[in-house]
Each structure stands twice: as C-alpha cells, then as structure tokens.
Amino acid sequence: MRPAGLGSVLLLVSSLLLPGGLSAVPQSFSPSLRSGPGAAACRLSRAESERRCRAPGQPPGGALCHGRGRCDCGVCICHVSEPGVYFGPLCECHEWVCEAYDGSTCAGHGKCDCGRCKCDEGWFGDACQYPTNCDLTKKKSNQMCKNSQDIICSNAGTCHCGRCKCDNSDGNGLVYGKFCECDDRECIDDETEEICGGHGKCYCGNCYCQAGWHGDKCEFQCDITPWESKRRCTSPDGKVCSNRGICVCGECSCHDVDPTGDWGDIHGDTCECDERDCRAVYDRYSDDFCSGHGQCNCGRCDCKVGWYGKKCEHPRSCPLSTEESIRKCQGSATLPCSGRGKCECGKCTCYPPGDSRVYGKTCECDDRRCEDLDGVVCGGHGACSCGRCVCEKGWFGTLCQHPRKCNLTEEQSNSLCESADGILCSGKGSCHCGKCLCSAEEWYISGEFCDCDDRDCDKHDGLICTGNGICSCGNCECWDGWNGNACEIWLGTEYP
C-alpha cells in the first residue's frame, strides 16, 4: 500500500517537468483540482483559474503570471528561455541569485528574496554593501577603495565608507567590480552599438566570442568552420591551446605572462611550451632559466655538462667547496671568469661557447675588444693580443685608428674636430689629423667629438654592458648571442 502523500509528490514533480517550462507551484496546490481519466480536466472555472494566476490587486483581464508564463488550472508555468530567468508562484521573480559583493551574497548583510537583496538594518545597496552610518575617517575610507594601482575606485566611481560606488548614471550596470575595475562599455561595438557585436559575452571589459567569431569586439568572422578551427588549435594532449591560450580562427593566442611584451613565456603553435617550468623559482622579471645551468627548450631543461635535475639545480660531484670553486675561477679578476663565463667546479666556461675570441683560464682575454662596430680588428693596422691592440709602426690609439703622420694643416685638422657647437672635441680632448683624441684621464669620455659619456651605459655585475658588448655613446651594442639593456641575457642557440 502506497503512502497517501506520495501521489501529491509525484504529481508535483511531473508538473515541474512539463515541456512548456519550469513551473513554480504554490504550496496550496492540490491534485484534486484536476479529475477524470489521466487528470486531463480542470475542476476550476476559467475565471477562478485566472484569478489564481493573477497578482493580488490586479483587476480581471490583467496580465496572467506577470506576462511571463501560462496559466494551467490556476498554476503558473513560467516561460524559461534561459535557465532560471523567471520563477516564483506567479513568475514574479527574476534570476536565481542575488547581487554579491566581495564574494558574499548580499555582502553578508542581508537575505536574498526573489532575486533581490533585503538588507539588514543599517545597510543599503543592491548587494547591501553600504553601511548607513560610517565610522571610518575619509583617509581610511579612501585607502580601502584603492585598486592595485593605488587609484580610488579606478577613477570610475566614488568611495563610500571604504566601498566603491560605481558610476552607472544610465542605469545599465556596465561598470562594476569591488574597485569598479570592470567596464563593460569597452565591449560595445562602435558600429552596431551592441555588446561584443552581438557575437559574444562581455566579462570585465573583455569580449569572449562565440565559435566562428573573433576580434576585440567579436567583429570578424572566421573563414573556416568552428570544428576546423578547434582541430588546428588542439595540442597533442587533446587540449585546446593547451589550456594556456585562446583559439582564434585556427590559431592559438597564448597567454603571454611576460609584462615587457618582448617575448612570451608561453609559446608554440598550440601554446604547448611553457618556459616558466624551467625556472627554479618563478619570477616574471627574472631570466634565470634552468638555475643558470642549462637551456630551456619548450619548457624542458637541457642541462650543460656538470649539472642535472629537472631544473639543472644539482651539480655533479665536485671535490671543491663553492668558495674554493669561485676563488679558482676568479684569479686576479674582480669577478669569477672575468664576468665573461660560468664557473663550474673551479673551471671557467667562457661565453659565447665555441668563440675563440674569448679565452684564458679565467676568460681574462676578450679579443672582441679589439674590434670596432664594423668588426674590423685594430683598425686594420695592428694585431690583437688578449683584448689589446698592438699597433703597426706609424699607427696608435686603442684600436690603432690614428696615423702618426698627418698631411693636413692644423687649421684643416681642427675644422674636422669641431662639434656642432663649434667647440674643439667638445672641450674634452685634443685634435689629431682631423680626429678627436679624448682625454685619457676621463676614461668614460668617448665618441667622434668626445661628446659621449660611457657611464650612461647600463651595467650588470659591475661591468659596463656586462663585458658582452661595446658601449656606443651611452648605449650598449651587444655582441652576437647577447641581449638586454646591459647585454646580460644570453639568447644564443647553444647554451654554454
């Protein structure tokens, strides 16, 4: 024998699953309103049925179910085009959930009723986020309203007792967020005036386009099918853009986490390479890959000789202590390996690998210093010995660039040494045969007219241009394989 209440439960459940949409049934609903085979007939008159589906106080002929559903024997069956848009006994409620603030529904200061927050006493706002009385000083309040850039309410709202009230004078609610950091007006297409051109959804000022559309405002349509686009973007592990980017018309746009924009830590046709995996401790501003002992290839460290580990963090057996190793590599220089190589177990590996111009037990010899910017060694008038030019007879200078004999008169020579302001060698040198000889006492003075200050060049580890380039009038000109403002980053194909 079945319990008496079970039939009511079954009928209630079945009414909730009617094809016409979700039904919100009043607690007073009774299955006895219908009778006959299959419960097809309604025992209520049409007038009584409509009265029950009409909001209290509405006259006969008024909208049934608030115009958002149909009346079936005194019960409103709400129209649902999207899950949860309308519900309630008379389809009077919008949305399933209430506004939230800082992750809490109704900010923890109210109750959610029919999609709207009913605030506790002393609180107000769509999410009950504003206190009626404020006990904060203006300074403290403004401090609480500052975003990560120290801007109050992102310049898109006003601060009310430590909480941002976003500017939404037109009532469209497009500016929102704890610090008013989200502005969905950025998603409005200038031509169609639709959000994301009508082909996507806007989240915090960014358009997320439907399949087959792309662009900042989803304004462009792909010339390939969505299925072909997805196929091209799928990585070998079956993930679209390796879950590290977005697919735009068959091409992955990887999430570049490098703030400089020079190159991405995440790259590859399907964003399959993540260089962050090569860092011992991930620091987005650091270039210390593979603990400095290997080359990062698509997120995998290829360690150099003498090191091993997932991030080349473990040295192979070395009988020397770290201090002894560094002391052997430093010798009489100020830095280990003269700042031109890596020290491993007391031995230097000079940069760049395989370049015979950098050599010596402590990489103390750098014959690149004998070359000018055009690569000519000692001006073609001498030979290089451990980074210093030995000039042929009749020539002198750091790069043997000056002839000892001169066929110019003093007047002719001086006219060639005058800078734009008419001063001879900028007042920081002497003129010899039409070329400036900069003061030797001021080592940092250089340039065609002694008008450059090499102290303006960037340093790394105390060395100008890290010893991996030439200082040219305040800017580092890096040698092959090196990059960075101070030529401190090795980007060669083979890692030492």
Side-chain angles (χ1 to χ4, degrees):
M1 185 147 177
R2 192 169 56 185
L6 186 57
S8 299
V9 173
L10 291 174
L11 188 55
L12 177 59
V13 171
S14 64
S15 68
L16 291 171
L17 299 176
L18 286 173
L22 294 177
S23 174
V25 185
Q27 293 181 353
S28 60
F29 171 74
S30 169
S32 62
L33 295 178
R34 293 185 177 275
S35 63
C42 180
R43 296 179 60 185
L44 296 176
S45 66
R46 181 176 178 179
E48 177 61 18
S49 175
E50 291 181 354
R51 185 188 68 79
R52 296 190 181 196
C53 289
R54 200 176 291 117
Q58 276 196 329
L64 301 178
C65 305
H66 285 83
R68 302 173 186 137
R70 62 184 177 85
C71 185
D72 184 13
C73 198
V75 176
C76 283
I77 299 176
C78 307
H79 297 314
V80 181
S81 57
E82 295 181 15
V85 173
Y86 303 121
F87 68 104
L90 297 174
C91 305
E92 71 275 22
C93 298
H94 295 263
E95 307 298 340
W96 290 107
V97 295
C98 286
E99 292 284 339
Y101 177 80
D102 201 17
S104 298
T105 302
C106 300
H109 303 299
K111 293 182 179 179
C112 185
D113 182 23
C114 199
R116 294 180 180 273
C117 287
K118 287 191 175 180
C119 302
D120 298 336
E121 187 177 350
W123 295 89
F124 71 99
D126 292 339
C128 304
Q129 69 270 45
Y130 305 118
T132 305
N133 299 313
C134 185
D135 57 358
L136 298 177
T137 63
K138 187 173 182 180
K139 182 178 180 181
K140 179 64 175 177
S141 175
N142 287 342
Q143 191 65 34
M144 292 173 64
C145 286
K146 288 182 179 180
N147 62 15
S148 57
Q149 284 80 41
D150 281 340
I151 300 174
I152 295 174
C153 299
S154 307
N155 284 337
T158 55
C159 186
H160 180 87
C161 199
R163 294 163 175 81
C164 288
K165 196 169 186 178
C166 304
D167 294 334
N168 281 299
S169 55
D170 50 8
N172 56 22
L174 294 179
V175 182
Y176 57 96
K178 184 178 180 181
F179 302 106
C180 303
E181 69 275 15
C182 295
D183 189 349
D184 284 358
R185 293 175 297 186
E186 299 290 331
C187 293
I188 298 176
D189 188 282
D190 295 332
E191 294 183 5
T192 65
E193 296 186 352
E194 289 186 274
I195 296 287
C196 301
H199 306 296
K201 296 283 188 181
C202 185
Y203 299 98
C204 204
N206 295 296
C207 282
Y208 292 83
C209 306
Q210 297 171 354
W213 293 86
H214 67 104
D216 291 339
K217 308 285 179 65
C218 305
E219 67 272 36
F220 303 117
Q221 193 169 13
C222 298
D223 56 1
I224 58 175
T225 65
W227 296 274
E228 176 62 16
S229 175
K230 182 179 179 181
R231 185 191 68 79
R232 295 183 186 181
C233 289
T234 302
S235 57
D237 60 2
K239 299 175 182 175
V240 175
C241 298
S242 306
N243 287 344
R244 301 189 188 108
I246 57 174
C247 184
V248 180
C249 286
E251 294 185 1
C252 285
S253 177
C254 305
H255 298 317
D256 188 348
V257 297
D258 188 336
T260 65
D262 291 338
W263 64 292
D265 285 333
I266 299 173
H267 60 96
D269 291 340
T270 57
C271 307
E272 68 276 12
C273 299
D274 190 346
E275 306 295 343
R276 295 175 299 177
D277 294 338
C278 292
R279 301 180 192 264
V281 176
Y282 181 63
D283 177 357
R284 66 193 305 182
Y285 297 99
S286 169
D287 290 290
D288 185 20
F289 290 102
C290 303
S291 307
H293 306 300
Q295 172 72 50
C296 185
N297 292 316
C298 196
R300 186 196 73 247
C301 282
D302 293 335
C303 303
K304 60 185 178 180
V305 177
W307 295 89
Y308 71 100
K310 187 177 180 181
K311 298 179 181 179
C312 306
E313 68 272 31
H314 302 300
R316 298 198 183 276
S317 57
C318 176
L320 302 177
S321 66
T322 303
E323 292 76 14
E324 289 174 326
S325 177
I326 291 175
R327 190 163 54 249
K328 277 181 168 288
C329 288
Q330 187 165 333
S332 59
T334 56
L335 291 171
C337 302
S338 306
R340 304 186 189 104
K342 278 287 183 180
C343 180
E344 292 179 354
C345 201
K347 293 185 178 180
C348 287
T349 302
C350 304
Y351 289 132
D355 191 336
S356 59
R357 293 175 298 176
V358 184
Y359 56 96
K361 186 177 180 181
T362 59
C363 305
E364 68 275 14
C365 297
D366 188 352
D367 288 354
R368 296 173 300 182
R369 296 192 172 278
C370 294
E371 300 176 4
D372 59 20
L373 290 176
D374 296 322
V376 179
V377 176
C378 299
H381 307 295
C384 188
S385 175
C386 196
R388 293 179 179 272
C389 284
V390 180
C391 301
E392 297 172 353
K393 188 176 181 180
W395 295 87
F396 72 101
T398 307
L399 297 177
C400 306
Q401 71 271 42
H402 301 298
R404 294 194 178 276
K405 290 184 179 181
C406 182
N407 297 322
L408 300 176
T409 65
E410 185 177 354
E411 184 179 355
Q412 290 173 326
S413 176
N414 288 346
S415 67
L416 295 174
C417 290
E418 288 182 359
S419 54
D421 54 8
I423 300 176
L424 196 70
C425 299
S426 305
K428 299 175 182 176
S430 59
C431 184
H432 173 78
C433 203
K435 290 187 177 182
C436 287
L437 301 177
C438 301
S439 172
E441 295 178 0
E442 297 176 293
W443 61 266
Y444 46 84
I445 300 300
S446 65
E448 185 179 359
F449 298 104
C450 303
D451 51 348
C452 297
D453 190 335
D454 285 354
R455 292 176 298 182
D456 293 336
C457 278
D458 289 306
K459 292 182 180 181
H460 185 72
D461 286 339
L463 292 176
I464 290 178
C465 303
T466 325
N468 301 318
I470 297 175
C471 183
S472 176
C473 210
N475 293 299
C476 289
E477 298 283 347
C478 304
W479 286 312
D480 289 343
W482 293 95
N483 205 340
N485 292 335
C487 306
E488 76 278 19
I489 303 171
W490 170 249
L491 293 178
T493 54
E494 182 184 352
Y495 199 85

